[in-house]
Amino acid sequence: MRHCRKLYSGHAPPSVTAALNYLLPALFGALFVQFAMNQKKLAVIMLVFGCVVYIAINKGVFNFLPGASSYLGTLLCVFGSIFIAMAMKKMEGKKTE
């Protein structure tokens, strides 16, 4: 009963919290593969963009932002992929006209 009370109070065992650290990258990886099967050109561009962002964060390019290493990679990759996809769709629309 003591263990259940601890779990219900908002604390999970360390093994569960350690496993949750892999949840978001696995989710993004699965979505990327599903997305890449339909749009290979955009997938290659975003993979390169993600690597550049990762290298820039590790080099300290964004150190002027508080806590940049924890959230900036995700934000840049998500919104970067949205804007690049929109720009590519717009360019494809102009080519077909």
Side-chain angles (χ1 to χ4, degrees):
M1 187 67 151
R2 183 180 293 164
H3 182 64
C4 291
R5 190 176 307 137
K6 183 178 178 184
L7 185 62
Y8 290 129
S9 67
H11 299 288
S15 60
V16 173
T17 56
L20 289 177
N21 290 332
Y22 297 106
L23 180 66
L24 193 59
L27 181 63
F28 281 134
L31 289 173
F32 178 77
V33 169
Q34 185 178 11
F35 184 69
M37 292 187 327
N38 294 332
Q39 298 181 356
K40 291 171 183 32
K41 184 177 178 182
L42 182 60
V44 171
I45 292 170
M46 288 316 306
L47 188 61
V48 171
F49 182 73
C51 290
V52 169
V53 168
Y54 176 76
I55 291 169
I57 288 172
N58 283 337
K59 294 280 185 185
V61 174
F62 303 107
N63 280 348
F64 62 93
L65 296 171
S69 64
S70 63
Y71 67 88
L72 193 62
T74 303
L75 283 178
L76 285 177
C77 288
V78 168
F79 289 109
S81 64
I82 291 170
F83 291 128
I84 291 172
M86 287 172 48
M88 287 178 68
K89 286 288 186 185
K90 188 180 276 190
M91 287 179 9
E92 282 180 12
K94 287 182 180 179
K95 286 183 183 178
T96 58
E97 290 179 358

